[in-house]
Amino acid sequence: MTVEDEVVRIGADFFQDPHRLYADLRRTGPVRPVVLPRGVRGWLVTRYADAKAVLSDPRVSKDYVRAGALLEINREPGSPRPEFGQDLQAHMLNMDPPDHTRLRKLVNKAFTVRGVSHLRPRVERITSDLLDALDGLDEVDLIPALAFPVPMTVICELLGVPESDREAFHGWTSTLLSTASSATEITEAGVAAGGYVMELIESKRSTPGEDLLTALVEARSDGDRLSENELLSMAFLLLLAGHETTVNLIANGVLSLLQSPSQAAALRANPALLPRAVEELLRFESPVNTATMRYTTEPVVVAGVEIPADEFVVVALSSANRDDTTFPNPDVLDIERDLNTHLAFGHGIHYCVGAPLARMEGEVAIGALLARFPDLALTSTPLTWRESTIVRSLHTLPVRLR
Ligand code: HEM
């Protein structure tokens, strides 16, 4: 990453340690022009109060049709424009009210605290089966062993996605989220994921199940609540957001605890701290690095800087979560931190609909892992992070179990 002429350029080294750049920007220029890895230009917002203000500002839009047109203007000359093939963009995270409100209502109930509480025993079972499979092993990569399969199994069971298709789907979403993927790879992954979700919807039409996807297919046929394209996009969004984020809560959370052994010990000694610890882990190494892109519909002043109309705004959630005006000693992990009002799940109307599910999965997986392996430790293998501006995600998490 370089900071030249006030313009921040996000390069490959940023992903290994975004916190250094963020700390600098919060101090020296909390609203700065940015060029993202594929040449998209926008404004990077790094302080807590500004992040919150942007995320709840109705002048800052998520409408994907207009955003697509703006992508043509707000790009460095010569940077390639990936084509996604089937239209997977018509989902709630890419819309403003009233469409956003209509779409969110369709799934809201399934993900409330009450809605997900009955899933806890199943999440506990999935977790303990995965931990049983580690019996006898000394070293393991915790991502394929635990952090990935817990949320992936849960969201697939909720939606009614066959087990055999899960790895393929994850392959496509990780290509889509990686800034290291070429335009051709992105196009191919988008077409494959879209084709897959279409087939899945057809299979629910011919053989309805008890799952959320069948419920959405039924909502589609019931009046004008959901168009075919919105149905496809909704299924894609839920599958992607349901696993590509929580995997990072579990993996980044375990990493942070193992790097801070006194905190891991305090949590083992008092598992009642788990809910609070999960909030601190969400703040400390936030699973989602930046919120998805938004754009200004008119000039908007943020921290004294005027962002002109029709320009992209990138809100750095993981930076806001380390702003010392809101979180004293932000670079210290403190699982007993009071009043943890982090922005890891976003803020405003797009606040994560899956937050209750993610919190519960995080508590169950991290709690059970610590209890099962009292001597759990990192190996000396250097850790590397995936190249994505959206997710904060490790490639591997090698640990010694005993
Ligand atoms: C929205 C984070 C888990 C589904 C969001 C947003 C964030 C976020 C930051 C807002 C993005 C923006 O405003 O640009 C997380 C984190 C998770 C997690 C950190 C795990 C620790 C989940 C799960 C689901 C889910 C398990 C399952 C369905 C969604 C959906 C939205 C969303 C559908 C869009 C909501 C809307 O537009 O109204 N999430 N998420 N997320 N999340 Fe999550």
Side-chain angles (χ1 to χ4, degrees), residues 19 46-53 55 245 249 273-289 291 315-328 330 332-348 350-360 362-363:
H19 297 300
T46 47
R47 280 190 193 156
Y48 183 89
D50 301 332
K52 237 174 138 170
L55 293 173
T245 49
L249 164 59
L273 287 174
L274 260 170
R276 213 190 251 202
V278 164
E279 297 312 305
E280 174 67 348
L281 296 170
L282 282 159
R283 180 195 74 80
F284 187 75
E285 202 60 271
S286 305
V288 173
N289 180 2
V315 176
L317 302 173
S318 52
S319 174
N321 286 340
R322 294 221 188 179
D323 185 332
D324 63 4
T325 58
T326 307
F327 305 102
V332 173
L333 183 74
D334 174 6
I335 59 167
E336 295 188 59
R337 197 178 277 276
D338 261 2
L339 202 71
N340 194 340
T341 49
H342 64 73
L343 299 181
F345 289 118
H347 178 70
H350 294 283
Y351 181 86
C352 179
V353 83
L357 176 60
R359 288 182 159 119
M360 186 262 279
E363 280 174 34

Side-chain angles (χ1 to χ4, degrees), residues 93 100 104 111 241 245 292 294 317 344-346 349-350 352-353 358:
L93 188 49
H100 168 265
R104 186 160 168 138
F111 293 103
T245 49
T292 52
R294 296 147 152 74
L317 302 173
F345 289 118
I349 61 168
H350 294 283
C352 179
V353 83

Side-chain angles (χ1 to χ4, degrees), residues 124-139:
E124 287 168 347
R125 185 59 205 264
I126 293 165
T127 302
S128 69
D129 286 350
L130 289 163
L131 296 179
D132 288 349
L134 305 182
D135 263 358
L137 299 179
D138 289 330
E139 283 191 13

Side-chain angles (χ1 to χ4, degrees), residues 43-343:
W43 295 80
L44 187 61
V45 174
T46 47
R47 280 190 193 156
Y48 183 89
D50 301 332
K52 237 174 138 170
V54 169
L55 293 173
S56 53
D57 191 329
R59 297 169 302 171
V60 179
S61 168
K62 294 239 53 196
D63 177 81
Y64 72 105
V65 180
R66 177 86 183 124
L70 292 178
L71 211 47
E72 291 304 322
I73 308 164
N74 291 307
R75 265 189 313 143
E76 298 277 271
S79 47
R81 161 143 206 196
E83 292 300 335
F84 282 80
Q86 275 100 348
D87 197 350
L88 300 172
Q89 305 286 316
H91 54 65
M92 67 181 110
L93 188 49
N94 281 337
M95 292 191 190
D96 298 332
D99 290 323
H100 168 265
T101 324
R102 169 177 55 87
L103 292 173
R104 186 160 168 138
K105 240 192 223 149
L106 288 169
V107 293
N108 225 350
K109 253 203 358 245
F111 293 103
T112 55
V113 174
R114 256 189 84 194
V116 302
S117 62
H118 75 278
L119 296 174
R120 189 180 270 265
R122 178 68 191 132
V123 177
E124 287 168 347
R125 185 59 205 264
I126 293 165
T127 302
S128 69
D129 286 350
L130 289 163
L131 296 179
D132 288 349
L134 305 182
D135 263 358
L137 299 179
D138 289 330
E139 283 191 13
V140 70
D141 176 358
L142 268 186
I143 294 181
L146 182 73
F148 168 71
V150 169
M152 190 59 167
T153 307
V154 173
I155 194 69
C156 287
E157 287 186 1
L158 259 174
L159 287 168
V161 175
E163 186 149 10
S164 51
D165 302 337
R166 294 173 192 175
E167 286 291 338
F169 192 83
H170 174 59
W172 299 320
T173 55
S174 36
T175 302
L176 292 174
L177 287 174
S178 171
T179 58
S181 310
S182 70
T184 317
E185 285 167 336
I186 296 226
T187 304
E188 285 171 4
V191 171
Y196 172 74
V197 177
M198 258 185 207
E199 273 176 31
L200 195 61
I201 288 169
E202 280 320 311
S203 79
K204 299 292 170 195
R205 273 202 180 106
S206 52
T207 324
E210 297 283 293
D211 48 70
L212 182 57
L213 192 50
T214 302
L216 290 169
V217 168
E218 282 162 6
R220 155 82 185 119
S221 55
D222 171 20
D224 57 1
R225 290 198 290 159
L226 186 66
S227 76
E228 190 66 22
N229 196 219
E230 288 168 346
L231 169 61
L232 174 68
S233 302
M234 170 87 89
F236 172 74
L237 173 69
L238 292 175
L239 268 172
L240 180 142
H243 84 281
E244 283 284 8
T245 49
T246 314
V247 56
N248 308 321
L249 164 59
I250 299 170
N252 303 0
V254 171
L255 171 67
S256 304
L257 286 167
L258 296 184
Q259 286 175 331
S260 204
S262 64
Q263 296 292 296
L267 187 51
R268 275 199 183 91
N270 184 6
L273 287 174
L274 260 170
R276 213 190 251 202
V278 164
E279 297 312 305
E280 174 67 348
L281 296 170
L282 282 159
R283 180 195 74 80
F284 187 75
E285 202 60 271
S286 305
V288 173
N289 180 2
T290 66
T292 52
M293 289 220 285
R294 296 147 152 74
Y295 68 90
T296 49
T297 55
E298 57 182 88
V300 174
V301 176
V302 184
V305 176
E306 182 175 303
I307 303 179
D310 288 341
E311 301 209 356
F312 290 116
V313 188
V314 179
V315 176
L317 302 173
S318 52
S319 174
N321 286 340
R322 294 221 188 179
D323 185 332
D324 63 4
T325 58
T326 307
F327 305 102
N329 296 322
D331 298 327
V332 173
L333 183 74
D334 174 6
I335 59 167
E336 295 188 59
R337 197 178 277 276
D338 261 2
L339 202 71
N340 194 340
T341 49
H342 64 73
L343 299 181

